[in-house]
C-alpha cells in the first residue's frame, strides 16, 4: 500500500511537523524528506537480504543526491551505485569511502574513467570497448561487468534496460569471451552485474535475470575466475497508488539468495535500490496559485511544474496528491493539477478528486523522493526549489532555493553586445 500520513487539526504532518508550517517557513515549491522513514527503508531492504546471505546495499544515488540524505545513508552503512563522476565526487563529499562506491557508467570518456579509478572507485564495465580503454588507463584494477540479461522490467519503456539489444551491458553471447579477455589483460575480476530496469512490481523478472547470471557465473568459473559477488541491480518498484500492492521483498530475497546459494559458490549479493529507499520518504509541497473552470475540465494551477517534478510529463507517472491544509476532507469534484510551465504537457496529476481547492491551499505530491529533485530543471528560468529534512518534530533546510540571479553567473555576453 502507498504510504499514509497523519493529520493534526486537519493539517497533514510529516516527521512530526506541520506541512503548513514548512511551506510558510521555507516557501514553495519545496521537497520535504522524512529522515526516519529513510532509515527504515534502508533497514528493511538490508534486513530482508542479510538474513539469508552476506549483503551489500549500493544505494543508486541518481534517484536523489542531496548531501544530507547521503549522510543518513552513510551512517546506516549503505554503499553507493554511482553513474557519473559527479555522483562519485558528491558521495565522497558526503563521507563515503571509495571502497563503498561502485561506478556503473555508460558511454563514458577515458578522462572520466581515469578520474574515477584515480579516486580508488571500482568500475563496473559496460562494454568490451570500455574494458580495452580501461586496460591502458588503469591496468590491473578491480572490475566487474554489467551484462545484458535479455530480461527487461520497468514502469515505462524509457527505463527498461535489461532487454536484448539494449544500449546497456555486454551482450549475452560475448560475456564469456569478455571475462576471458579481462583475465588476460590482468584485471582483478570481482563480480557480475545486471540491472533490468526501474519500477518493476513483480518478482519473476528478477528470478529470470538471476538464472541467467548464475549460469554465467558457473561458466566463468571454468575460466578459473571465482567471482566474489553477484549484483542484481536495482529496480524494485514501490506503490504509487493508494490500493496498489507492494512487492514482497522478503519473498524476493529468499528466492534469489536460495538460487545463489544452491547453484554457485558466490558469497555476496549486491543490490542497487534507488527508488525503494528514497521514494516514499519525500513529499513535494506546492501552493495553489489559480483555479479555473474550463468547461470540460477544472484546473488547479500550482507553483510546481515539470521543472520541479518531471515524472508525470516524462513517463506519464501517477503521483498521488492531497490538499495538505484540509487533509482528509470530503472531495467535491475532479481536477487536473497543472504547473506554471508554458507547455500543455506540464501537469502533476490528471482527473483527481479534491475538496474544493482554493487559491492559497497547499497540495502535497506523494512519493516524490526518487527522480524528483534529481531530475528538476531551470526551464522557463524558474530557479531550482528548496529541500527540507524533517526529524522528530524539527525541520532543517537541506538545500536553499536558487535565485534568478544565479542563473546568469556562468553566462558571458561578448564585448560587442554588452549594455
Ligand atoms: C537507475 C539504476 C539503479 C536504480 O534503479 P531504481 O529503480 O531506482 O532502484 C540501479 N542500478 C543501476 C545501474 C541504475 O542505472
Amino acid at each position: 500500500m502507498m504510504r499514509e500520513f497523519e493529520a493534526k487539526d486537519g493539517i497533514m504532518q510529516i516527521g512530526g511537523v506541520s506541512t503548513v508550517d514548512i511551506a510558510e517557513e521555507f516557501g514553495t515549491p519545496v521537497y520535504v524528506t522524512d529522515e526516519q522513514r529513510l532509515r527504515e527503508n534502508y533497514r528493511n531492504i538490508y534486513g530482508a537480504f542479510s538474513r539469508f546471505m552476506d549483503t551489500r546495499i549500493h544505494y543508486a544515488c541518481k534517484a536523489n543526491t542531496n548531501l544530507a540524505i547521503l549522510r543518513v545513508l552513510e551512517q546506516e552503512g549503505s554503499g553507493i551505485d554511482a553513474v557519473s563522476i559527479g555522483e562519485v565526487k558528491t558521495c565522497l563529499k558526503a563521507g563515503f569511502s571509495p571502497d563503498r562506491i561502485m561506478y556503473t557508467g555508460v558511454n563514458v570518456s577515458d578522462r572520466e574513467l581515469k578520474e574515477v579509478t584515480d579516486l580508488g572507485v571500482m568500475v563496473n564495465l559496460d562494454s568490451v570497448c570500455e574494458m580495452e580503454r580501461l586496460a591502458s588507463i588503469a591496468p590491473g584494477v578491480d572490475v566487474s561487468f554489467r551484462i545484458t540479461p535479455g530480461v527487461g522490467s520497468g514502469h515505462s519503456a524509457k527505463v527498461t534496460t535489461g532487454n536484448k539489444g539494449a544500449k546497456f551491458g555486454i551482450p549475452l553471447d560475448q560475456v564469456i569471451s569478455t571475462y576471458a579477455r579481462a583475465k588476460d589483460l590482468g584485471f582483478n575480476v570481482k563480480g557480475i552485474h545486471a540491472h533490468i530496469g526501474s519500477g518493476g512490481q513483480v518478482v519473476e523478472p528478477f528470478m529470470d535475470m538471476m538464472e541467467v547470471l548464475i549460469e554465467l557465473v558457473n561458466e566463468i568459473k571454468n575460466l578459473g575466475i571465482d567471482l566474489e559477488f553477484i549484483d542484481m541491480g536495482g529496480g524494485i518498484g514501490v506503490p504509487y497508488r493508494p490500493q496498489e500492492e507492494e512487492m514482497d521483498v522478503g519473498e524476493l530475497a529468499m528466492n534469489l539468495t536460495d538460487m545463489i546459494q544452491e547453484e554457485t559458490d558466490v558469497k555476496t549479493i549486491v543490490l542497487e535500490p534507488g527508488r525503494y529507499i528514497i521514494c516514499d520518504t519525500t513529499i513535494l509541497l506546492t501552493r495553489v496559485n489559480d483555479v479555473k473552470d474550463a468547461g470540460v475540465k477544472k484546473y488547479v494551477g500550482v507553483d510546481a511544474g515539470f521543472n520541479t517534478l518531471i515524472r508525470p510529463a516524462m513517463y506519464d507517472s501517477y503521483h498521488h496528491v492531497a490538499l495538505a491544509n484540509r487533509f482528509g476532507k470530503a472531495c467535491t469534484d475532479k481536477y487536473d493539477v497543472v504547473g506554471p510551465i508554458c507547455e500543455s504537457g506540464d501537469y502533476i496529476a490528471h482527473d483527481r478528486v479534491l475538496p474544493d481547492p482554493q487559491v492559497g491551499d497547499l497540495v502535497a505530491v506523494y512519493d516524490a523522493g526518487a527522480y524528483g529533485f534529481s531530475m528538476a530543471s531551470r526551464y522557463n528560468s524558474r530557479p531550482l526549489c528548496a529541500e527540507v529534512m524533517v526529524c522528530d518534530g524539527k525541520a532543517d533546510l537541506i538545500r536553499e532555493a536558487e535565485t534568478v540571479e544565479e542563473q546568469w553567473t556562468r553566462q558571458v555576453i561578448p564585448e560587442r553586445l554588452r549594455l
Side-chain angles (χ1 to χ4, degrees), residues 58-63 81-83 104 124 146 155 159 161 168 193-195 197-200 231-237 271-278 370-371:
H58 287 182
Y59 167 62
C61 72
K62 73 176 186 286
D81 164 51
V83 298
T104 299
N124 185 33
R146 176 178 193 162
H155 65 78
V159 296
T161 55
F168 301 97
H193 168 279
H195 172 64
S198 189
D231 187 331
M232 58 169 278
I236 301 170
L271 296 70
E272 302 169 340
R275 190 186 310 276
Y276 181 89
I277 288 179
I278 194 68
Y371 310 103

Side-chain angles (χ1 to χ4, degrees), residues 206-276:
F206 289 98
M207 310 261 299
D208 294 345
M209 167 192 67
M210 190 54 75
E211 237 165 67
V212 173
L213 287 172
I214 284 173
E215 202 178 309
L216 291 168
V217 164
N218 290 324
E219 285 179 55
I220 291 163
K221 195 178 166 64
N222 292 335
L223 300 171
I225 303 170
D226 285 304
L227 297 181
E228 287 175 14
F229 66 83
I230 294 179
D231 187 331
M232 58 169 278
I236 301 170
V238 298
Y240 281 91
R241 292 169 194 264
Q243 305 305 328
E244 201 176 336
E245 299 259 351
E246 257 168 74
M247 191 195 287
D248 185 340
V249 293
E251 183 195 331
L252 180 74
M254 187 173 72
N255 291 345
L256 295 179
T257 55
D258 247 15
M259 290 169 79
I260 294 172
Q261 286 170 323
E262 273 176 24
E263 299 171 51
T264 76
D265 305 321
V266 172
K267 294 286 179 282
T268 302
I269 185 166
V270 181
L271 296 70
E272 302 169 340
R275 190 186 310 276
Y276 181 89

